[in-house]
Amino acid sequence: MSSKSNLEGLVKQYITQAGAKSKQTLEAILQLRNAERHIYGMLFESNQRACLRVLIDACKKRRSRDVIKPFVIRDVDKLLSIEDDKARKNASILIGLCAPDECADKLSDALENEKTRFVRPSIILALGNTKDPGKYLDGYIIEPGEDKHIRQEGDALKKALAKMQKPKKALNIKLPLWSCLTSLNKSALLAELVNNKCEFKDETKIENAFNVRTKDIKDLRCYIDALYYIGDIGGYAKAADKLIEFGLKGLSYRIEAGEVRTEERREVIRAVSKGFSEFGFFDNPSAYSFEIRLTGGSMYVYFLNDERFSYREKSIPASINPVAAASIMRICKPYMKQDAVVLDPFCGSATMLIEREYIQKTKKLVGVDIAPAAIKAACANRKASGMKISLIKADILSYEAEKYDEVISNMPFGIRVSGHDANVKLYKAFSDKLPSLMKKDGVAFLYTQEKKLLRDVIKQNREFTIVREEKFESGGLCPTLFIIKRG
């Protein structure tokens, strides 16, 4: 199957999914090389609605916005004149995400001339993303018409102008005794909970999660989010009471409903927003103090003040998720040595090395990468972490140095960076190089999506044995951690 047909298939698949499956498919799409550019090109060929939906969700991340922004600015007239009303509505959303200020005058003209009422709220919200929404919207008058159109435009106008407000900080938060911790790898989180002697329960409505005593989570690194249950969707009175108990009275929130089916999401969000408004809590996606997460038919509170990975100031394409890096190191801990000399031969932004030091003190950390941008990012993160890491711009295949107790790496996946054909050569050459990098009793911790390829090259190299494999789930992909020993 060609890469283009594979991408087209994933785009079609994405718009039929919801929740975790849609997130995984989106991640798989974004791992394909130049995915955003290819999808942007496809939207002027066919299936505009699907392409725009994927681009909108992708552009919630800055990396994708930066890729698409120049094209949006160039084609703003073309986007705002798409004939299909629903596609034109999504085009307005995309402009508002990527280049609202650069396209503000065009959006303002489009709002004035838009005849289809259900398209206008998206243009209003796009103008709300500008630096000065009031400049374009203070004089906007909602025309008479159907109640639903008046309500939709009014809601959009309120949200757009609310973006000029600054969110209030939640003071004296009183958290409940238990928190629901989600994970990329449940085994890693379990190992950390046991190691830290945390009190926990394996009884949650969320897959790959544990209920953990809130007082115990401050030193944990292997969870994605800490969620606090406030009730089932529809039980707004009791949920509001819990929010007041938490100390959140009078604060605005936003709703995250990624787990809800796409076709139901809008109505569910509207119902939740209306339900809480009756008890004095208001949905403001632009100036919010906390988040209400909808998943599994339940509502949870999520606070956006996670400082665990504050050292991660810079990243590069294909940088590993720091939660994944922490989880990998936790699983590898039984195989580590005290005061080990550690090498990351494809160090990227140095996340794996930093998380290695967090899990257990080392004698020396060395990172090697052939890409100048990777070393630059690693230097910034090294400084922010305060750790001593030797960073070397070099090709690991020609790198000559001491032998190491541990070789750890987020190996090139061959998806967003490089490619499978290139990896066939790289993995074989790296396997041949590995004996010169490792001590006789050394161990390698290698994480990759190229599972079959790595198994094959390691089996061909008789110096090594794979002693453990551990699967992860990372957005549509299922990379695997390989623990490899000599002998």
Side-chain angles (χ1 to χ4, degrees):
M1 181 182 289
S2 69
S3 58
K4 182 177 180 181
S5 61
N6 185 31
L7 181 59
E8 290 174 344
L10 287 170
V11 169
K12 291 178 181 178
Q13 177 180 311
Y14 178 72
I15 61 169
T16 67
Q17 297 175 323
K21 288 185 178 179
S22 65
K23 287 183 179 180
Q24 291 171 358
T25 301
L26 180 61
E27 188 66 25
I29 289 171
L30 296 180
Q31 289 291 341
L32 296 172
R33 297 183 71 190
N34 299 318
E36 298 96 336
R37 295 183 186 183
H38 290 313
I39 297 171
Y40 186 84
M42 286 162 51
L43 80 86
F44 292 112
E45 298 172 3
S46 62
N47 211 353
Q48 290 180 324
R49 295 183 187 181
C51 291
L52 284 164
R53 186 69 257 167
V54 173
L55 287 173
I56 287 168
D57 290 342
C59 287
K60 291 174 183 177
K61 296 184 178 181
R62 182 175 178 177
R63 182 176 66 193
S64 294
R65 288 200 300 273
D66 291 343
V67 172
I68 295 300
K69 182 176 181 176
F71 302 106
V72 167
I73 295 172
R74 182 193 68 190
D75 297 331
V76 59
D77 290 323
K78 194 174 180 181
L79 289 165
L80 290 172
S81 60
I82 290 174
E83 291 186 10
D84 181 358
D85 293 339
K86 290 186 177 180
R88 188 168 68 255
K89 175 182 178 179
N90 282 343
S92 301
I93 297 172
L94 183 66
I95 295 167
L97 283 170
C98 296
D101 288 297
E102 293 82 354
C103 302
D105 291 335
K106 300 282 187 180
L107 286 166
S108 183
D109 291 341
L111 179 60
E112 184 177 346
N113 297 314
E114 182 57 61
K115 303 302 181 185
T116 304
R117 293 294 297 263
F118 73 76
V119 177
R120 293 181 190 174
S122 296
I123 304 176
I124 292 170
L125 290 172
L127 287 167
N129 285 342
T130 62
K131 294 178 181 177
D132 186 6
K135 176 182 177 181
Y136 304 98
L137 296 172
D138 275 342
Y140 183 75
I141 299 174
I142 299 174
E143 298 175 1
E146 291 185 37
D147 288 344
K148 68 175 183 179
H149 291 146
I150 294 173
R151 184 182 71 250
Q152 288 169 356
E153 285 183 43
D155 289 346
L157 189 62
K158 180 181 177 181
K159 289 181 180 180
L161 293 175
K163 293 183 179 183
M164 295 185 291
Q165 303 173 5
K166 292 184 178 180
K168 296 179 181 178
K169 290 186 177 181
L171 303 176
N172 301 317
I173 296 176
K174 300 175 182 178
L175 295 177
L177 292 176
W178 293 92
S179 170
C180 179
L181 303 187
T182 61
S183 72
L184 288 172
N185 182 285
K186 198 170 182 180
S187 297
L189 180 54
L190 175 60
E192 187 174 43
L193 291 171
V194 172
N195 180 80
N196 289 26
K197 299 180 181 179
C198 298
E199 188 176 351
F200 64 93
K201 301 175 183 177
D202 191 3
E203 303 170 0
T204 73
K205 296 181 179 180
I206 302 177
E207 190 176 359
N208 294 326
F210 289 101
N211 283 329
V212 181
R213 283 279 187 178
T214 299
K215 65 180 179 61
D216 292 335
I217 70 175
K218 63 182 184 301
D219 296 321
L220 301 178
R221 305 184 68 77
C222 296
Y223 69 91
I224 305 172
D225 295 324
L227 306 178
Y228 300 92
Y229 177 77
I230 57 174
D232 294 338
I233 296 175
Y236 304 115
K238 290 183 178 180
D241 287 342
K242 284 187 176 293
L243 295 179
I244 293 171
E245 288 177 15
F246 291 1
L248 302 176
K249 186 176 181 179
L251 302 181
S252 58
Y253 63 90
R254 78 165 184 178
I255 299 171
E256 170 55 49
E259 300 294 324
V260 179
R261 291 177 60 85
T262 305
E263 61 269 24
E264 300 172 359
R265 195 174 300 161
R266 188 184 304 275
E267 290 304 319
V268 170
I269 290 175
R270 182 177 289 118
V272 172
S273 179
K274 181 180 178 181
F276 278 109
S277 67
E278 296 179 6
F279 299 95
F281 291 93
F282 298 99
D283 176 17
N284 185 347
S286 305
Y288 53 92
S289 303
F290 63 97
E291 182 177 284
I292 292 180
R293 186 81 56 89
L294 309 181
T295 179
S298 298
M299 300 182 293
Y300 297 82
V301 168
Y302 171 64
F303 296 101
L304 309 169
N305 56 351
D306 189 349
E307 299 293 333
R308 288 175 297 161
F309 307 106
S310 58
Y311 67 80
R312 176 87 162 234
E313 294 190 349
K314 300 288 183 180
S315 63
I316 59 173
S319 287
I320 191 169
N321 183 320
V323 176
S327 300
I328 289 167
M329 292 297 101
R330 174 59 60 180
I331 290 171
C332 294
K333 187 174 182 181
Y335 304 89
M336 294 174 179
K337 290 184 177 181
Q338 192 70 32
D339 298 322
V341 180
V342 181
L343 168 72
D344 187 338
F346 307 97
C347 71
S349 57
T351 306
M352 289 277 278
L353 289 167
I354 293 171
E355 290 302 322
R356 171 62 183 85
E357 186 71 6
Y358 269 114
I359 202 75
Q360 184 172 291
K361 296 296 182 183
T362 62
K363 183 177 181 180
K364 186 177 182 181
L365 294 171
V366 179
V368 175
D369 205 292
I370 197 171
I375 296 298
K376 184 176 181 181
C379 286
N381 295 339
R382 174 182 62 183
K383 181 178 180 181
S385 72
M387 294 180 181
K388 295 181 180 180
I389 305 172
S390 299
L391 295 170
I392 302 165
K393 179 187 172 298
D395 182 348
I396 191 60
L397 300 180
S398 57
Y399 175 71
E400 298 295 337
E402 62 186 303
K403 291 182 183 289
Y404 296 87
D405 297 302
E406 298 169 22
V407 175
I408 68 173
S409 189
N410 173 33
M411 298 283 287
F413 279 22
I415 300 176
R416 179 169 279 275
V417 178
S418 184
H420 175 73
D421 291 341
N423 276 350
V424 171
K425 295 180 180 179
L426 175 63
Y427 278 47
K428 177 63 170 66
F430 179 68
S431 175
D432 293 340
K433 177 73 174 182
L434 202 51
S436 69
L437 298 174
M438 290 173 59
K439 294 179 180 178
K440 287 185 177 181
D441 59 348
V443 61
F445 309 132
L446 306 180
Y447 179 73
T448 182
Q449 176 67 13
E450 293 271 26
K451 300 180 278 287
K452 184 179 184 303
L453 177 56
L454 185 61
R455 285 192 199 100
D456 289 345
V457 297
I458 292 299
K459 287 178 181 178
Q460 290 169 16
N461 191 328
R462 297 184 178 180
E463 291 204 37
F464 298 104
T465 300
I466 298 172
V467 297
R468 182 174 175 181
E469 295 185 21
E470 185 76 27
K471 291 182 180 179
F472 281 68
E473 286 193 14
S474 180
L477 302 176
C478 291
T480 295
L481 166 66
F482 291 83
I483 299 176
I484 300 165
K485 287 188 175 182
R486 294 190 71 166

